[in-house]
Amino acid sequence: MPLQILIISDNESFTTYLGELLRDAGHTTRCVAQEKEAFPAIRRQKPDLIILALEAAKIPPLAIEHRVQTPSGPRSVPVIVISECLRLEAELLQVFDFIGKPLDVKRLMDDITAVTLRKDVPPQEQELEPRVAAAFSRHILSRSGLHFDQRNRAALTRGLLKRMAALRLTDFKEYLQYLKEHGEDRHELQKLLQFLTVGETYFYRYPAHFEVLKEHCTARFAGAGPIRIWSAGCSTGEEPYSIAMTLMEALPDWRERDIRIIATDINNRSLKRAREGVYSPWSMRITTPEQSARYFRRVGESFLIRDEVKQLVQFSHLNLSVPCREPVCDELRDLDAIFCRNVLIYFTPETAAGMLERFAGALKPSGLLFLGHSETLLQRGLDLELKRKEKSFYYVRSACAAPAAVIAPLPPEERRGDDPCGLTAEQLRLAAAWLSVQTPWQGETETETETETETETETETETETETEPEPQPRQPQPAAPCPAEPRDAAPDDAQLLQAARELFDREEFDPAQELLELVLERTPDLLDALVLKGFILAGKGALDQALETSERVLALNDLLPEAYFLKGVLLDAADRLDEAAREYRKALLLDHDFIMPRYHMGRLHLRQGRIADGAREIRNSIKILSRSREEETVPFSGGLTRAVCMLQLQNTLARVA
């Protein structure tokens, strides 16, 4: 079947060659050379396929995003990228294929044939059968050591569906076969892992850990010996850079010291961002103004790590679960501290226990081990002593322990079935979608090449133009007694609830939930506690339980805007965008000045290509927020102050203005 193919390339000779090649194969082509022509061409032609052949710096963000507005709503157009810049492949995770130069003509023609056959995008709500999930889990475990059991199957499903959508594969079994065939030659396994291992972080996360490190530096690093600290699972770099800044604050003579922070991660895309050291205000949300001024350089809305901080950190790729053959492994000995926070949850208990044993052996006597708040030692008998600092914990290696050893290779894991094991679901806190973190291929970048203009006539905060029936109070059945009104919190409960909110804002989900359970034991129908519990469950990845909680709240009171916002967040995270929009709209009908659903409504419009509507909602959010006090925390924003939230809104609006 012939395709309508749009070629975007600034290389005239290559465009001519490619056009002739495709026309000889029976396809219809159109070529554009300038980035500014790309969006109008896509809107007019509505191509079946986009072939993008530009230099890395000239790739238009819209073509990478490849969301196209059609009369029936947004649809995704497959994109094939051809470039000699091979590092781009790790960035473009939602394109159909990435082909390096010189062009592999057979691979290109095979891709075009596949596009012809794969017309549909897989539905994002389809279920992953247990048997097929077990097959994926075994394959991923055997190739990477990462384990996905039935407790985090939803996270696995979402990651699989994202890659299946890029490849236009609608059947899980078909994708499993593709993964087995092309896991190496097309780097498919590495691309899938980018979706399964992206962690949320920010500078100075778990502040008590850095206070402990600072005190340890002051007490034990008085001599001139080398200092070696390992950030295992460093993600996008906020953790190792926070370690470096802590050392710089604690040691006045740090420039004369032999200091090295070894930062490793399995996710190459995260490592690239870490090396670049460019961060948004969201990553800076608990960084003090003094720290921002000393260690960062402000450029527009971005914060750039200063070179003096960068020079203390060495980034390397490392899979913790496979035999350690990388050069960096020789340096992982005689360590003063190891940070391995929210990483063990990716592995089976047996693998995690082996890692902990190796961590303990690699530490110096009195060395420190920092784990995530939801992680504990999985076995006893290690020379590690539990210590507490405020509401955090850490471990200290016994001063009389045996000498530290090199990190030994971990024996390859045997294949396992899908029997359950005691992992948490925190590794992919997908409900963080309501916060302002976006991956580069999502809708915000789409608007950068938008050519349509908008005439702004608003003088007051505009309201949503689409109509939605206002929620009506639920009428009691005649034969049944009216339900009791949910009770207000008792004084003690109010204090516990406030403490739980503060823990939630710091992403300390487990202790926050424990406090809420105490409140709900005494007052099971306390609405504020139930709503907060729903957001905590969402933050931990228990989306089904969070949705059940939102429905319970709405059954008690269907005029509560926070409950509709919670439900919208959960539907948004599941890519059920139309349903999410309806819930956001209900929240706004009930509370016109509720910032977060309005902000997310705007972002949702942008993802759907409705630029004018999205920009309007962002402007409205800024207007509403400008009326609040500077020091106020924005409700349900993850602890953002009014000032930081304002920066986020302005940054988003700048992208679409």
Side-chain angles (χ1 to χ4, degrees):
M1 179 185 297
L3 298 178
Q4 296 280 340
I5 301 176
L6 175 65
I7 302 173
I8 304 174
S9 175
D10 57 355
N11 185 323
E12 184 176 353
S13 61
F14 185 76
T15 300
T16 301
Y17 163 71
L18 194 58
E20 292 176 353
L21 184 69
L22 297 174
R23 286 191 291 272
D24 289 345
H27 303 291
T28 302
T29 64
R30 182 182 176 188
C31 305
V32 296
Q34 301 296 324
E35 298 97 333
K36 64 182 180 181
E37 299 175 10
F39 185 81
I42 294 171
R43 297 287 290 270
R44 288 193 300 269
Q45 183 180 344
K46 300 180 178 62
D48 301 304
L49 172 67
I50 297 171
I51 296 181
L52 186 63
L54 295 177
E55 297 299 322
K58 298 182 180 180
I59 292 180
L62 174 62
I64 297 174
E65 164 59 19
H66 61 271
R67 290 182 183 272
V68 182
Q69 184 72 21
T70 66
S72 60
R75 68 183 176 95
S76 180
V77 177
V79 175
I80 296 174
V81 176
I82 301 173
S83 177
E84 60 189 6
C85 185
L86 300 182
R87 63 178 175 81
L88 276 175
E89 183 171 14
E91 295 291 309
L92 308 182
L93 298 177
Q94 287 192 332
V95 301
F96 189 87
D97 196 10
F98 180 97
I99 305 176
K101 287 187 176 181
L103 176 64
D104 184 338
V105 175
K106 181 180 183 304
R107 178 166 169 174
L108 175 62
M109 301 311 293
D110 287 345
D111 282 346
I112 293 174
T113 300
V115 170
T116 304
L117 297 174
R118 305 173 193 168
K119 284 293 186 181
D120 298 323
V121 176
Q124 295 299 294
E125 67 276 6
Q126 64 178 307
E127 296 291 331
L128 179 61
E129 297 178 0
R131 182 176 299 180
V132 181
F136 273 110
S137 180
R138 287 194 298 270
H139 182 77
I140 295 171
L141 179 63
S142 66
R143 299 301 189 275
S144 70
L146 301 180
H147 181 63
F148 292 85
D149 72 347
Q150 64 183 17
R151 294 193 179 189
N152 46 30
R153 185 172 300 161
L156 173 63
T157 303
R158 281 187 288 271
L160 296 175
L161 286 172
K162 288 184 183 296
R163 280 303 298 159
M164 289 167 63
L167 296 167
R168 294 301 182 93
L169 294 172
T170 58
D171 183 79
F172 283 110
K173 294 178 182 177
E174 188 178 3
Y175 177 60
L176 178 60
Q177 185 61 35
Y178 182 92
L179 180 63
K180 291 179 177 179
E181 291 179 1
H182 299 296
E184 298 299 328
D185 67 332
R186 295 196 179 192
H187 311 119
E188 183 58 33
L189 179 61
Q190 185 60 231
K191 292 174 183 176
L192 176 61
L193 292 181
Q194 310 306 300
F195 286 113
L196 300 181
T197 62
V198 176
E200 284 303 322
T201 186
Y202 50 89
F203 289 101
Y204 296 104
R205 186 179 185 184
Y206 305 154
H209 286 175
F210 296 101
E211 286 298 320
V212 170
L213 179 63
K214 191 172 183 178
E215 293 170 2
H216 187 79
C217 291
T218 303
R220 297 188 175 274
F221 294 165
I227 299 173
R228 296 291 183 266
I229 298 176
W230 182 17
S231 172
C234 65
S235 188
T236 49
E238 288 90 335
E239 179 180 89
Y241 287 137
S242 297
I243 296 170
M245 292 183 286
T246 300
L247 296 181
M248 293 166 70
E249 291 176 0
L251 302 171
D253 62 340
W254 65 269
R255 289 183 176 84
E256 288 74 48
R257 306 291 293 265
D258 179 9
I259 298 173
R260 186 175 307 158
I261 298 152
I262 304 154
T264 66
D265 201 275
I266 193 176
N267 191 319
N268 286 322
R269 191 165 179 270
S270 294
L271 288 170
K272 178 179 180 293
R273 290 181 57 194
R275 293 187 183 101
E276 291 171 346
V278 180
Y279 297 95
S280 70
W282 176 242
S283 292
M284 310 287 293
R285 59 188 184 269
I286 69 169
T287 306
T288 67
E290 293 77 13
Q291 291 167 333
S292 298
R294 179 177 177 185
Y295 302 116
F296 296 86
R297 183 165 57 90
R298 184 75 178 267
V299 178
E301 295 301 320
S302 297
F303 292 83
L304 282 61
I305 285 281
R306 294 190 182 276
D307 289 341
E308 63 178 11
V309 184
K310 276 189 174 183
Q311 69 184 10
L312 300 181
V313 184
Q314 164 193 315
F315 291 100
S316 300
H317 178 272
L318 184 65
N319 184 343
L320 294 172
S321 70
V322 300
C324 194
R325 301 188 181 94
E326 304 291 339
V328 69
C329 297
D330 294 335
E331 302 181 48
L332 301 177
R333 61 183 304 168
D334 294 320
L335 299 171
D336 296 283
I338 298 174
F339 285 71
C340 186
R341 305 185 300 178
N342 303 314
V343 174
L344 300 180
I345 53 178
Y346 284 90
F347 301 98
T348 64
E350 296 84 358
T351 303
M355 291 178 187
L356 285 168
E357 185 175 356
R358 292 181 296 141
F359 291 161
L363 284 170
K364 290 179 179 178
S366 301
L368 307 176
L369 172 63
F370 298 96
L371 302 179
H373 285 181
S374 63
E375 299 167 319
T376 57
L377 288 177
L378 302 178
Q379 68 177 42
R380 300 189 182 277
L382 299 177
D383 292 322
L384 295 171
E385 180 182 357
L386 176 64
K387 300 282 188 179
R388 296 191 181 276
K389 173 73 172 179
E390 298 174 359
K391 296 180 180 179
S392 298
F393 66 89
Y394 62 100
Y395 296 90
V396 179
R397 190 173 189 229
S398 171
C400 58
V406 178
I407 291 288
L410 182 70
E413 187 94 10
E414 294 183 3
R415 294 189 177 188
R416 294 179 174 84
D418 63 335
D419 52 313
C421 59
L423 301 180
T424 75
E426 190 181 84
Q427 74 245 32
L428 291 176
R429 302 186 329 275
L430 293 174
W434 88 88
L435 303 175
S436 39
V437 176
Q438 285 283 0
T439 45
W441 55 81
Q442 291 184 344
E444 290 181 355
T445 57
E446 174 181 338
T447 62
E448 294 180 13
T449 53
E450 174 65 76
T451 59
E452 299 177 3
T453 60
E454 175 189 355
T455 302
E456 184 175 343
T457 60
E458 56 185 345
T459 57
E460 298 294 332
T461 300
E462 302 173 26
T463 57
E464 178 62 52
T465 57
E466 301 176 42
T467 60
E468 180 73 24
E470 184 168 354
Q472 298 298 319
R474 194 183 312 281
Q475 299 297 323
Q477 296 296 323
C482 293
E485 286 293 323
R487 291 173 289 171
D488 292 333
D492 289 346
D493 288 345
Q495 293 177 1
L496 291 175
L497 186 57
Q498 180 58 33
R501 287 194 184 99
E502 293 173 1
L503 289 168
F504 169 72
D505 285 341
R506 297 202 301 266
E507 295 186 347
E508 299 179 27
F509 297 134
D510 288 335
Q513 188 171 353
E514 289 175 7
L515 293 181
L516 288 179
E517 297 298 347
L518 292 175
V519 174
L520 292 170
E521 282 181 11
R522 292 193 290 263
T523 316
D525 294 340
L526 185 60
L527 295 179
D528 287 347
L530 287 171
V531 169
L532 184 56
K533 179 180 177 180
F535 277 103
I536 288 171
L537 290 170
K540 295 172 66 175
L543 302 188
D544 291 340
Q545 296 179 48
L547 188 59
E548 291 175 5
T549 302
S550 71
E551 297 288 5
R552 179 183 171 189
V553 174
L554 291 170
L556 292 168
N557 182 353
D558 62 358
L559 296 178
L560 195 67
E562 293 86 353
Y564 288 110
F565 175 49
L566 170 60
K567 189 174 180 181
V569 164
L570 298 167
L571 295 170
D572 203 338
D575 287 332
R576 295 161 62 179
L577 303 187
D578 291 339
E579 296 171 78
R582 285 195 290 271
E583 301 307 315
Y584 292 150
R585 198 170 298 119
K586 292 174 186 176
L588 293 174
L589 284 169
L590 292 166
D591 185 353
H592 183 76
D593 291 345
F594 195 172
I595 287 289
M596 293 311 294
R598 186 171 296 283
Y599 180 28
H600 282 279
M601 176 71 83
R603 291 165 59 87
L604 190 149
H605 285 328
L606 297 181
R607 290 172 63 187
Q608 293 178 319
R610 299 169 58 182
I611 311 305
D613 291 339
R616 184 191 65 243
E617 291 298 349
I618 301 301
R619 283 194 297 271
N620 290 343
S621 300
I622 291 173
K623 291 179 181 179
I624 295 169
L625 191 61
S626 66
R627 298 197 292 265
S628 62
R629 293 194 302 271
E630 188 78 20
E631 70 277 6
E632 285 184 353
T633 298
V634 179
F636 300 105
S637 68
L640 288 181
T641 63
R642 177 247 192 210
V644 175
C645 190
M646 183 67 80
L647 285 174
Q648 289 287 81
L649 290 166
Q650 291 170 343
N651 187 41
T652 302
L653 184 61
R655 293 176 178 270
V656 301

